[in-house]
Amino acid sequence: MAEPPAGPPPASASSEQSRLKGHLGHLTKHEEVALEEFKKISAERGLYQPETNTQRASHDDGTLVRYLRARKFVPQEAFAQFKDTEKWRKDNNLDALYERIDIQDYQEARSVYPQWTGRRDRRGIPIYLYEVGKLDQKKMIAYSQATSKSKTKSPSPSRMLRLFALYENLTRFVMPLCSAVPGRPNPESPVDQSNNIVDISKVGLKQFWNLRSHMQDASQLATAHYPETLDRIFIIGAPSFFPTVWGWIKKWFDPITTSKIFILSPEQVKPTLAAFMDVSSIPKKYGGDLDFECGMMPSMDPELRKCLDIKDARLEELFLTGPTRWVNSEEGEMIALSVGSIDGKPHKEAVATMSSLAVRTATGSSTFQSQRSHPNFSSTQLSSQPPSATQSRPQSKRAVTPQMQTPMQPPPPQLVQAAPQQQPLSYPVSTSEQMPPPPTGLQQAGPQGAAGPESQSTVQNGSVLKSQPVSFDGASELQNGGTGPPKSIVLPPAQLQRAETQYMTPATEASELKNFQ
């Protein structure tokens, strides 16, 4: 019987090299060449439009790199997945789905999947909480009945459409917001992943079995169409029978996901979480100070809130619990638009503004302007030529604005980090025929919570928890002998402006804002 992965990651897993390997701003020469080849292939097939003097690239580099990381930086394999995703998005009309989804339906979906706490870890990555025990049979039956009444026509099952919208919110709202906060570590790399605390306490064997398809949906969707958006999963409250059922539970997920699962004993919960996030960002029930449970409105951390202008409580609720996306204003600010529909009527409302200072110090996001709305992109036949650089796309809700004309100033020398020379990543590629055993480096920790000898071998072969709790100046060591929290993040000078980058901030027509002025 296969043993489940157990114990916290080894202390060495928090190294800067481990976290940033394969991320934008820290690519090796080989990986940079792979990125250019990926762009070339995609452009030749009409799925990518390079940047021109009058128009920004159709997809930001951060998004493209995620596909490459998922496919070991093999451009042909990354393109195959990218092509499938673009076809899937067009077939399901994802842009329109997010724009018109009923806000109440969206909030119901949010209640049965991981929820953003409003907090970030020490690297700026958003923290999600999933309390599986609250998904009892009555709740899930009611949710299933509600989704079955959907009148939206789509080749995908109706239950999946709401899940699509939640992933859109992650990539179009949460990640861009976390990327734009000034003072976060490694601002040269966009925030493109999430952390998940999954609480399975009080979950019985029958409940696990009844939830299997529900959990499979989310895992398979992320692997296929939102690759490399998961950083890690911390499992808390595993019942005594969990080792017995791990053999069939792990088959619900792809190998990449299972390699990122860490099961913590009660004694390991608080020290492990505190090594990667402030105690103020850990929910109280796990030993922290944050008053948050699933079903509550996200509680934004102080640094996020300082960057935002939200006029009232009603708008804040729409901002945090409904479908939201970002628009770049002509003044260089990021405007949050609440979208969707209310009582069958289209809804669009400006609900928050991120200050221009925050936007200038931001590095970008993982959102992108897709070619899927371009007439040359067919769901049955791909165009062999890229779209014209001068052709307009007024039908797209995610068309980008021209870049700001104000010259960008380089950051102070002390804030510039040289990209480490690293070897290409060796990420596993999921297959349906073979499911690997849990990573050997995740075995149960010793009495003091220290990693066993297997953990060291796992560090060498690359199957480790990728994390980087570092201070803004790049220091990666943990205090107190590697067990305490990292140094606090130091905010950059107020005059620091965003460095020129190849990836975009959240993109939409600035002219769209005129409807709200």
Side-chain angles (χ1 to χ4, degrees):
M1 179 183 66
E3 290 293 327
S12 56
S14 63
S15 69
E16 179 178 1
Q17 290 76 15
S18 175
R19 160 63 187 144
L20 293 178
K21 188 177 181 182
H23 284 255
L24 198 61
H26 296 267
L27 301 179
T28 65
K29 184 64 177 178
H30 166 80
E31 292 164 350
E32 290 176 349
V33 171
L35 176 59
E36 293 306 312
E37 179 65 17
F38 181 25
K39 290 180 179 179
K40 179 181 177 181
I41 296 171
S42 300
E44 289 173 350
R45 299 295 299 273
L47 296 183
Y48 173 74
Q49 184 169 307
E51 183 179 12
T52 68
N53 291 334
T54 59
Q55 186 170 312
R56 299 174 80 174
S58 60
H59 299 73
D60 67 88
D61 284 7
T63 296
L64 300 179
V65 167
R66 286 198 289 108
Y67 284 88
L68 284 167
R69 285 205 310 270
R71 296 299 167 182
K72 301 180 181 179
F73 280 87
V74 178
Q76 294 79 7
E77 293 184 9
F79 172 75
Q81 182 173 5
F82 180 61
K83 178 185 69 174
D84 290 344
T85 294
E86 290 295 280
K87 179 181 182 300
W88 168 81
R89 293 187 67 93
K90 183 176 179 66
D91 289 347
N92 289 281
N93 202 6
L94 257 292
D95 284 334
L97 170 68
Y98 193 65
E99 289 293 310
R100 67 179 181 231
I101 186 171
D102 185 270
I103 293 180
Q104 183 176 346
D105 290 348
Y106 177 90
Q107 292 173 338
E108 287 178 357
R110 178 177 172 269
S111 71
V112 297
Y113 285 104
Q115 300 173 26
W116 183 38
T117 64
R119 300 305 173 103
R120 302 167 296 141
D121 70 8
R122 299 183 192 279
R123 302 158 300 159
I125 293 178
I127 302 168
Y128 280 71
L129 175 63
Y130 196 22
E131 295 180 272
V132 182
K134 293 186 176 183
L135 307 182
D136 57 31
Q137 186 177 12
K138 181 179 179 181
K139 183 178 183 68
M140 296 310 298
I141 289 176
Y143 180 73
S144 178
Q145 291 175 343
T147 57
S148 65
K149 297 178 182 178
S150 173
K151 298 181 181 180
T152 303
K153 295 182 179 180
S154 171
S156 299
S158 57
R159 73 178 188 279
M160 296 294 290
L161 298 181
R162 297 183 183 184
L163 180 57
F164 297 166
L166 295 179
Y167 273 104
E168 288 295 288
N169 184 262
L170 170 66
T171 58
R172 300 183 67 179
F173 170 64
V174 177
M175 288 178 177
L177 173 60
C178 294
S179 293
V181 178
R184 68 180 178 86
N186 302 109
E188 71 282 357
S189 298
V191 173
D192 59 3
Q193 293 181 310
S194 66
N195 265 330
N196 289 259
I197 300 173
V198 179
D199 186 344
I200 58 175
S201 60
K202 301 179 182 180
V203 179
L205 183 60
K206 182 179 179 180
Q207 186 177 3
F208 262 122
W209 181 254
N210 291 338
L211 290 171
R212 66 189 185 283
S213 61
H214 183 74
M215 295 182 177
Q216 280 178 310
D217 287 345
S219 176
Q220 293 172 357
L221 178 63
T223 301
H225 302 305
Y226 298 90
E228 285 296 304
T229 53
L230 175 65
D231 181 57
R232 69 172 70 84
I233 297 176
F234 287 123
I235 301 289
I236 294 174
S240 59
F241 62 79
F242 193 79
T244 305
V245 300
W246 171 251
W248 52 267
I249 288 179
K250 71 177 184 179
K251 295 179 182 178
W252 302 350
F253 309 103
D254 68 278
I256 297 177
T257 300
T258 57
S259 71
K260 297 179 178 182
I261 294 176
F262 296 84
I263 300 179
L264 307 180
S265 68
E267 297 76 18
Q268 295 165 342
V269 171
K270 183 177 179 180
T272 301
L273 296 181
F276 297 101
M277 60 193 75
D278 291 334
V279 174
S280 61
S281 295
I282 301 175
K284 288 182 177 180
K285 65 191 303 183
Y286 311 123
D289 298 331
L290 179 63
D291 185 14
F292 181 86
E293 294 183 4
C294 284
M296 298 174 64
M297 191 168 73
S299 174
M300 287 188 294
D301 65 64
E303 295 304 321
L304 271 176
R305 193 169 288 279
K306 281 196 301 186
C307 298
L308 294 165
D309 178 16
I310 306 175
K311 293 181 173 56
D312 57 50
R314 181 188 70 85
L315 295 181
E316 181 166 352
E317 182 175 4
L318 285 173
F319 176 70
L320 292 172
T321 67
T324 308
R325 60 181 173 85
W326 293 98
V327 181
N328 284 335
S329 74
E330 295 177 348
E331 293 76 24
E333 294 180 328
M334 288 167 55
I335 310 297
L337 291 185
S338 170
V339 296
S341 63
I342 300 176
D343 296 329
K345 298 180 180 179
H347 166 80
K348 187 180 294 184
E349 184 176 8
V351 293
T353 302
M354 176 165 277
S355 68
S356 58
L357 171 61
V359 176
R360 286 199 303 273
T361 57
T363 61
S365 76
S366 55
T367 61
F368 57 87
Q369 166 60 38
S370 174
Q371 290 294 125
R372 55 191 166 271
S373 60
H374 195 279
N376 287 355
F377 181 76
S378 168
S379 61
T380 57
Q381 182 178 7
L382 297 173
S383 170
S384 59
Q385 297 296 329
S388 168
T390 59
Q391 186 170 0
S392 62
R393 292 178 287 171
Q395 71 274 28
S396 173
K397 293 294 185 181
R398 299 170 70 181
V400 302
T401 60
Q403 293 193 11
M404 294 174 58
Q405 299 300 314
T406 305
M408 294 296 189
Q409 301 296 325
Q414 67 270 24
L415 297 179
V416 178
Q417 292 181 326
Q421 297 300 315
Q422 302 161 344
Q423 296 301 316
L425 283 175
S426 180
Y427 279 80
V429 178
S430 59
T431 63
S432 57
E433 295 81 10
Q434 184 176 5
M435 297 294 292
T440 57
L442 305 182
Q443 303 305 319
Q444 184 67 40
Q448 283 78 35
E454 293 100 341
S455 298
Q456 299 305 318
S457 62
T458 306
V459 172
Q460 296 173 6
N461 66 30
S463 299
V464 298
L465 178 71
K466 290 173 280 299
S467 60
Q468 186 206 10
V470 300
S471 60
F472 188 75
D473 62 4
S476 59
E477 69 280 1
L478 295 177
Q479 296 175 343
N480 304 323
T483 59
K487 299 175 182 178
S488 60
I489 296 172
V490 179
L491 291 177
Q495 73 273 18
L496 175 64
Q497 289 195 348
R498 171 183 160 190
E500 196 73 37
T501 59
Q502 293 293 325
Y503 45 91
M504 63 185 68
T505 50
T508 313
E509 291 282 6
S511 59
E512 186 176 8
L513 293 175
K514 295 180 181 179
N515 298 326
F516 308 102
Q517 294 175 351

